[in-house]
Amino acid sequence: MKTLSHIPEIDGLRALAVLGVFLFHVDYLSGGFLGVDVFFVISGYLITKILNKEKNLNFEIFKDFFIKRFKRLYPALVFVSIIILIISIIIIDPINLDRIGKSGLFSIIFLSNNFFWGESSYFDTSSNLKPFLHTWSLGIEFTFYLIFPLVFFSILKNNFKTFFFCIIILSSLLILYILSKKPLFETNILSGFFYGKYIDDTLFFLFPFRFFEFLFGSYVAFHEKKKKNTIIFPNAFL
C-alpha cells in the first residue's frame, strides 16, 4: 500500500484538537470536547487520501491497510490499559474495580464506545471513576477502519463522489431532528430504536451518528485543489 506524504497543516489541527480536549477536561474550555470531532474529520481526510492512491481493490491492499492501522493503535492501547488496571487494583474499591475490568476488556477489542453507551452520561461526575472512558473514540475510529475501505472501493471511488456530501447533509438533518424530538423518542415506543438509552448518549457514542464526520473529511480529500503555497482546507471548497 502506498504511503501518504507528511502534511504539516494536519499536525497543527491535531495540536489544536488535543489542546481543546485537554482544556475541556480541566474545566477551562466548555466546548473543548469538539476536538474529538476534529480528529474524526482528520481521519476521514487522511484515510481517503491513502485509499485514493490505490487503483483496484484486492485482499492484500485491505489486509495491509488494516494491519498498519492495527499496529499503530493496539500496542499503545494495551500498554495504557495495563497501567490503568495496575493503578486501579491499588486504589479502586472492589465494586468499581469489577466494572473497570469489564470496560478494559471492551477497550482492548475496540468496543468501549458501546460499553459506555450502556452506562450514564459522559459528562456526569461518575466519569472520574471510568479510567477507560477516553478509549470510546478508538472504538469509533476502528469501526471506521473496518467499514470505510469496503464502502470506498465498492461504491464511492468510481461512481458516487457526491454521496459524501449527501450523507453529510442527511446525517446532520437527522441528528437535528432527533434532538428536536428528544422527549418524544425517550418517552414512547420510538425509544425502542435506542434500546431505552438517553438520546444524547446514543448520538455521542454510537458510530452511525459519527460516520458523517469522517465523511466530511473524505469530501474535502476528494475535492481539494492542489496548489502550491495554499492552505488545504479553505481551497477544498473553491
Side-chain angles (χ1 to χ4, degrees):
M1 173 168 280
K2 298 177 182 179
T3 58
L4 189 66
S5 59
H6 179 252
I7 305 175
E9 293 88 349
I10 295 298
D11 291 338
L13 285 175
R14 282 172 170 162
L16 291 175
V18 170
L19 180 61
V21 172
F22 173 77
L23 293 177
F24 168 74
H25 281 291
V26 296
D27 297 323
Y28 192 79
L29 184 64
S30 60
F33 61 88
L34 292 175
V36 179
D37 301 271
V38 174
F39 268 107
F40 291 158
V41 174
I42 291 174
S43 291
Y45 172 81
L46 292 176
I47 296 306
T48 300
K49 286 184 72 69
I50 291 172
L51 294 177
N52 201 33
K53 290 179 176 291
E54 304 297 333
K55 300 298 182 181
N56 299 297
L57 171 65
N58 59 61
F59 178 75
E60 290 300 321
I61 289 176
F62 181 78
K63 182 179 73 172
D64 188 38
F65 170 84
F66 183 79
I67 289 175
K68 284 183 177 180
R69 305 284 84 71
F70 185 83
K71 287 182 177 180
R72 183 176 181 180
L73 293 176
Y74 205 67
L77 176 62
V78 171
F79 175 77
V80 171
S81 297
I82 291 173
I83 298 300
I84 289 175
L85 287 173
I86 292 174
I87 296 175
S88 297
I89 291 172
I90 297 173
I91 67 175
I92 301 295
D93 62 273
I95 295 177
N96 283 302
L97 186 60
D98 178 67
R99 182 180 52 75
I100 289 173
K102 292 178 181 178
S103 64
L105 176 61
F106 277 86
S107 296
I108 62 174
I109 58 176
F110 297 103
L111 290 174
S112 60
N113 59 310
N114 296 283
F115 176 84
F116 291 116
W117 172 63
E119 295 196 336
S120 57
S121 172
Y122 181 89
F123 301 99
D124 62 22
T125 54
S126 63
S127 63
N128 294 324
L129 294 175
K130 298 178 181 180
F132 286 100
L133 186 56
H134 63 284
T135 64
W136 72 270
S137 60
L138 290 180
I140 299 287
E141 194 92 19
F142 205 73
T143 303
F144 175 74
Y145 292 157
L146 286 173
I147 293 176
F148 185 70
L150 298 177
V151 176
F152 178 85
F153 279 108
S154 61
I155 300 175
L156 301 179
K157 184 175 181 180
N158 297 319
N159 300 313
F160 302 109
K161 292 182 180 180
T162 54
F163 175 83
F164 290 107
F165 183 73
C166 294
I167 291 298
I168 291 169
I169 298 299
L170 292 176
S171 298
S172 301
L173 292 175
L174 176 62
I175 291 172
L176 290 174
Y177 174 77
I178 292 173
L179 288 174
S180 68
K181 301 294 183 181
K182 184 164 64 172
L184 176 66
F185 278 102
E186 291 182 343
T187 57
N188 68 10
I189 193 171
L190 293 175
S191 64
F193 175 77
F194 297 96
Y195 298 94
K197 306 303 180 187
Y198 289 111
I199 299 302
D200 291 340
D201 291 335
T202 298
L203 297 178
F204 188 88
F205 283 114
L206 297 189
F207 175 76
F209 301 101
R210 294 286 187 170
F211 190 36
F212 80 97
E213 297 179 343
F214 294 95
L215 290 184
F216 184 85
S218 297
Y219 183 84
V220 173
F222 264 131
H223 294 82
E224 66 176 334
K225 292 184 177 181
K226 298 179 180 180
K227 297 179 181 179
K228 293 182 179 180
N229 301 320
T230 56
I231 299 174
I232 290 175
F233 285 95
N235 284 304
F237 299 99
L238 295 178

